[in-house]
Amino acid sequence: MQREPAMLAAKNLLAHAMAPVYRVINGLLVVTVFMIVGLWLSGNGTNAGAFDLARILVPDEARHIVWSNGFGMLDQYKTELSSTPAPETEIAAVIYNKSQSEKTGFSGAKQQTIALLMPSVAQVQVKSISHLADRIPTSKLDPQALDSNLMGSIQNQRAVADFFEKKYKLDRTKIEEYVSNTILIAKEVNIDPVLLLAVISVESNFNPNTKSQAGAEGLMQVMTSVHRDKYAVYGGTAQAVKPEVNIRVGAYILKYLIATAGSLRNGLKFYVGAGNAEDDGGYAEKVMAERNRLISLCQTRSTNRLTLSVKDLRS
């Protein structure tokens, strides 16, 4: 009988002695949880954050498998297109091959002149990828993936550059180069530049030297081992780090997958390598959120400019 009170007293003494230890452990657990959630929600790209949920649930190996097997899915859309070398590009102009007549089979150069934050990027001699992109019918694309022309405004381009410069602490000249290249290539591929900018932001944080363990490289994290054939015309996979090359190849792949998958969200799911998975780890949602953020930024700026213009007219 005397043992029970003694054991109870010992247990109470032990519990009292361990109480501070338990509090410290519980505190560490709470801090750890908040750090993980904070890092996940911080807006870091899929290669920048060690705790990025999309990369944890959808590893690069899955992307490798999907990209290796997924490119037989649009064979029904392929057509034979004759191509001629694109003429020398001009400042603030996109020049690339487009079919003029399906009946005659002749092809010529179509020029689109657009405003660019850094017009000099249009002078860089890079082979067009439109001969592949044009094989994908526009009718097969989700309307959300088509150009809304928000980036046709220099003011909007500057606002987007400001946003990414502050978000990722980037060199101003470099971010203007990346934004201008993206807009130029989006016209060439016929895809929304805002979408491409959102993918680049999530994939690489605008760091062209980013490379995953599975071999995804560059601004758009393209699997070089899977897409050697597309890099061949640019001099091989060693060129994957060049923004003007990486964005071209990535933009074509993204357009292809969106058309194949039937919707923008499904195309993004394939792009991250989760085409056959139930969940993409939040990747598509993350890209869409960044895309919507950029759209809102541009629309707000356009509204402000309109308001200012009305005030000027009244005064």
Side-chain angles (χ1 to χ4, degrees), residues 76-108:
Q76 65 269 33
Y77 304 140
K78 291 183 179 179
T79 57
E80 292 296 328
L81 294 178
S82 57
S83 60
T84 57
E88 190 170 316
T89 52
E90 298 176 356
I91 292 178
V94 191
I95 305 178
Y96 54 93
N97 294 330
K98 288 284 185 179
S99 176
Q100 289 182 325
S101 171
E102 292 183 3
K103 292 182 179 179
T104 61
F106 293 129
S107 61

Side-chain angles (χ1 to χ4, degrees), residues 246-263:
N246 190 274
I247 299 173
R248 272 184 171 82
V249 176
Y252 162 67
I253 293 168
L254 181 60
K255 181 180 180 181
Y256 184 106
L257 293 174
I258 292 169
T260 303
S263 72

Side-chain angles (χ1 to χ4, degrees), residues 136-147 190-192 195 254-268 288 291:
I136 304 170
T138 302
S139 60
K140 296 294 181 181
L141 284 185
D142 186 327
Q144 292 184 93
L146 297 175
D147 189 0
N190 193 19
I191 195 170
D192 183 18
L195 173 61
L254 181 60
K255 181 180 180 181
Y256 184 106
L257 293 174
I258 292 169
T260 303
S263 72
L264 174 53
R265 287 181 181 273
N266 286 339
L268 290 169
M288 294 298 288
R291 170 184 171 272

Side-chain angles (χ1 to χ4, degrees), residues 32-44 49-52 286:
T32 302
V33 169
F34 274 100
M35 285 181 63
I36 292 173
V37 174
L39 285 170
W40 178 42
L41 298 177
S42 66
N44 285 337
F51 300 102
D52 189 287
K286 200 168 187 178

